[in-house]
Amino acid sequence: MGMNITYDTPLLTALEEVAPHDHLSLVYESTDDHYSVAIPFIQIGLDRGEKCIYIADDGSEAVVRDAMHARNIDVERAVATGGLVLETKEGAFLKHGSFDAEWMPTFWKEATAQAMQQGFSALRATGETEWVLCGAPGIERWMEYESRLTQVLDGLNCFALCQYNRQILPPELVSDVIRTHPTVIYRGVVCRNIYHVPPDEFLGTNQAAREAERMLTTIRERAEIEHTLRQQRNELRALANRLMHTQDEERRRIAALLHDTTAQDLAALKMLLAKLDRAADRLSDSERKALAQSISLVDQSMTEVRTVSYLLHPPLLDEAGLVSALRWYASGFAERSGIKVDLDLPESLERLPRETETMLFRIAQESLTNIHRHAGSETACIRLRRQAEMLALEIEDRGHGIPRASLKQIESGGGGVGVGIAGMSERTKELGGRLEVTSSDHGTTVRVSLPLVAAAG
């Protein structure tokens, strides 16, 4: 009976998605490259309750068994129950002393029918192919067989992974392998093969003309895909920018609402409580205690509302500009987090467009938040400098740095590294600037460079 197992790497996840009728090739260059695909391919089939056939080259069965044991496959039990068959090239391909391309479809049909009769959900097969270089009779039709196998599997509850050692096999053969398999696995990546040639074309006449047509079609389709991807990327960037602008305006609106409405209501409530407090001598002890607690709660609520309002959108940013807002925020952040924040800011800086000041302030705010949550640093530093025609903002810490995998994603502009960093990058690009993140075991620096022409609007 099959087991529901979840695989947690991109390669294994892709192998798990392989299904009956699929015809795949594995082009490998090392033993690790080889068995990191071939053995999980079998393991997944055994977990699913499929019958699995592994066709080994001469002298390699013991190595295959060891590789299966290394992945915790109970080879002896799987063989005993019929779920795993370790086959030789003679048993699979050279039953009649030669390779018979006409008979091979019958072999796979009979093997699949037998697997289904035995109660297995499908037949899964994989085979090594170095033996094809030995010159067995009929082997000259091997690539014809590979091409036709795609059509054969299409009508069977069976799928096959054909293994090819690129270090040993001639380039011409590897090229034909690519052309005859709809899916190619190379260097740990399962790829839909854009170079696959349908059997009727691969085995037909006038191949040069068909190849030229196919290449031209592929070039055109790839260009169309790249154009579509660029359009979608630009649309996503524009949407992200609109969302960020909307978020800023919503923060500004909520901050004003808290300040002008909620804070004022609390102030009025405090005045009423103060009026009651002046007549507290007419209250019982419990009533005076409740009144005192109410006044304390109002004071606490006023402080919290004011803090939330200022964090959403500090009024100093509009009233006094970026430098004053950074000084205010750094002071409050240090008090709340216990992280010492050093400031290297100009004494004065001309006012910048509102969206530029907001963008730079948000980047500093997001960076300090990341330092508090992730860096493990006791200190941080904010630098703002005007350099010739550039405005440079740096936020630095002395923490343990960003994990290497996450840093690579950041450097490549990839996803999965958090909305904060992606948002900072998009904010900077929108205004013609550049955001860089450098990190090591000694800390992280977020650096923003913005042309003053763009900054000045």
Side-chain angles (χ1 to χ4, degrees):
M1 181 176 292
M3 299 171 60
N4 292 323
I5 294 180
T6 299
Y7 300 92
D8 57 359
T9 70
L11 172 60
L12 296 182
T13 299
L15 288 177
E16 192 182 25
E17 294 174 354
V18 173
H21 316 306
D22 286 343
H23 185 203
L24 308 93
S25 67
L26 165 63
V27 179
Y28 63 91
E29 297 168 332
S30 68
T31 300
D32 288 343
D33 195 17
H34 178 195
Y35 290 130
S36 68
V37 175
I39 304 306
F41 178 80
I42 292 294
Q43 185 177 34
I44 292 170
L46 293 174
D47 291 340
R48 289 180 173 177
E50 298 164 351
K51 183 172 183 177
C52 300
I53 299 177
Y54 193 108
I55 305 168
D57 266 320
D58 293 336
S60 71
E61 181 178 326
V63 178
V64 172
R65 284 178 175 267
D66 289 343
M68 290 184 178
H69 284 137
R71 288 196 64 92
N72 298 318
I73 296 176
D74 189 341
V75 178
E76 290 70 25
R77 180 177 181 277
V79 170
T81 59
L84 175 63
V85 176
L86 296 175
E87 188 60 271
T88 64
K89 67 178 188 295
E90 288 81 12
F93 298 115
L94 303 175
K95 278 191 174 181
H96 305 292
S98 63
F99 178 73
D100 187 348
E102 300 295 336
W103 175 76
M104 286 307 301
T106 301
F107 168 81
W108 289 117
K109 291 175 183 177
E110 292 178 350
T112 303
Q114 182 184 50
M116 303 300 290
Q117 289 170 2
Q118 293 170 338
F120 295 100
S121 59
L123 177 65
R124 176 183 293 245
T126 184
E128 300 171 347
T129 58
E130 293 179 19
W131 65 272
V132 301
L133 298 178
C134 297
I139 201 64
E140 67 276 1
R141 296 186 64 187
W142 177 259
M143 295 316 305
E144 175 189 342
Y145 153 73
E146 279 282 41
S147 181
R148 295 194 187 281
L149 184 57
T150 299
Q151 292 177 325
V152 173
L153 294 176
D154 194 48
L156 299 176
N157 199 27
C158 171
F159 43 117
L161 171 68
C162 308
Q163 308 169 28
Y164 289 91
N165 187 343
R166 190 183 177 193
Q167 299 298 322
I168 293 177
L169 300 173
E172 296 80 9
L173 190 146
V174 175
S175 177
D176 280 344
V177 167
I178 296 171
R179 296 169 69 200
T180 53
H181 291 80
T183 302
V184 175
I185 304 174
Y186 180 59
R187 293 186 177 178
V189 180
V190 180
C191 312
R192 184 184 67 83
N193 183 12
I194 62 174
Y195 300 108
H196 173 245
V197 180
D200 291 343
E201 293 186 26
F202 183 80
L203 301 172
T205 59
N206 200 17
Q207 288 195 19
R210 293 189 178 193
E211 181 73 10
E213 176 65 25
R214 186 166 45 255
M215 292 172 67
L216 290 170
T217 300
T218 299
I219 291 171
R220 187 192 71 248
E221 290 177 348
R222 184 160 186 168
E224 291 173 351
I225 291 171
E226 290 175 352
H227 175 71
T228 301
L229 287 174
R230 281 194 300 270
Q231 280 187 320
Q232 292 176 343
R233 187 163 51 245
N234 291 336
E235 290 171 1
L236 286 172
R237 178 169 291 134
L239 175 60
N241 287 330
R242 287 197 300 272
L243 288 173
M244 285 186 287
H245 283 301
T246 301
Q247 183 186 57
D248 284 335
E249 291 304 317
E250 186 67 5
R251 284 181 168 185
R252 191 185 303 269
R253 186 188 69 81
I254 295 174
L257 185 65
L258 288 172
H259 180 272
D260 297 340
T261 303
T262 308
Q264 299 305 316
D265 290 344
L266 288 171
L269 178 59
K270 183 178 179 180
M271 291 173 63
L272 293 172
L273 291 172
K275 185 175 180 180
L276 286 174
D277 191 46
R278 288 194 292 271
D281 55 341
R282 287 180 281 177
L283 300 176
S284 66
D285 290 343
S286 61
E287 289 171 338
R288 283 195 297 270
K289 183 178 179 181
L291 178 59
Q293 290 177 338
S294 297
I295 293 173
S296 176
L297 285 172
V298 168
D299 286 336
Q300 181 181 342
S301 297
M302 290 178 67
T303 299
E304 291 176 352
V305 166
R306 187 180 300 110
T307 299
V308 171
S309 173
Y310 283 11
L311 289 176
L312 284 170
H313 186 80
L316 274 175
L317 190 59
D318 292 333
E319 297 167 2
L322 178 64
V323 172
S324 295
L326 288 176
R327 291 187 191 278
W328 166 82
Y329 183 76
S331 175
F333 173 83
E335 183 178 345
R336 292 187 301 274
S337 66
I339 297 173
K340 183 177 181 293
V341 182
D342 296 321
L343 297 176
D344 183 1
L345 306 176
E347 289 299 322
S348 63
L349 180 70
E350 70 270 24
R351 293 302 302 268
L352 304 172
R354 189 176 80 171
E355 65 178 9
T356 301
E357 290 186 334
T358 300
M359 181 268 289
L360 293 172
F361 178 82
R362 293 300 181 205
I363 288 176
Q365 186 180 37
E366 182 70 30
S367 298
L368 288 178
T369 299
N370 287 341
I371 291 170
H372 182 225
R373 290 177 177 172
H374 309 298
S377 177
E378 296 180 355
T379 63
C381 181
I382 300 177
R383 299 186 187 91
L384 182 64
R385 293 176 181 152
R386 178 171 182 165
Q387 301 169 332
E389 296 182 354
M390 295 292 294
L391 191 64
L393 172 68
E394 291 184 1
I395 304 93
E396 182 181 71
D397 68 66
R398 289 289 180 264
H400 47 63
I402 299 173
R404 186 178 301 274
S406 297
L407 187 61
K408 285 184 177 180
Q409 286 183 303
I410 294 170
E411 291 170 345
S412 64
V417 294
V419 174
I421 291 177
M424 286 191 284
S425 180
E426 287 303 321
R427 285 175 183 268
T428 307
K429 288 178 183 177
E430 183 188 12
L431 295 178
R434 184 179 62 204
L435 181 140
E436 299 173 286
V437 180
T438 57
S439 188
S440 69
D441 294 340
H442 305 295
T444 299
T445 300
V446 175
R447 184 178 296 106
V448 179
S449 302
L450 191 66
L452 277 177
V453 174

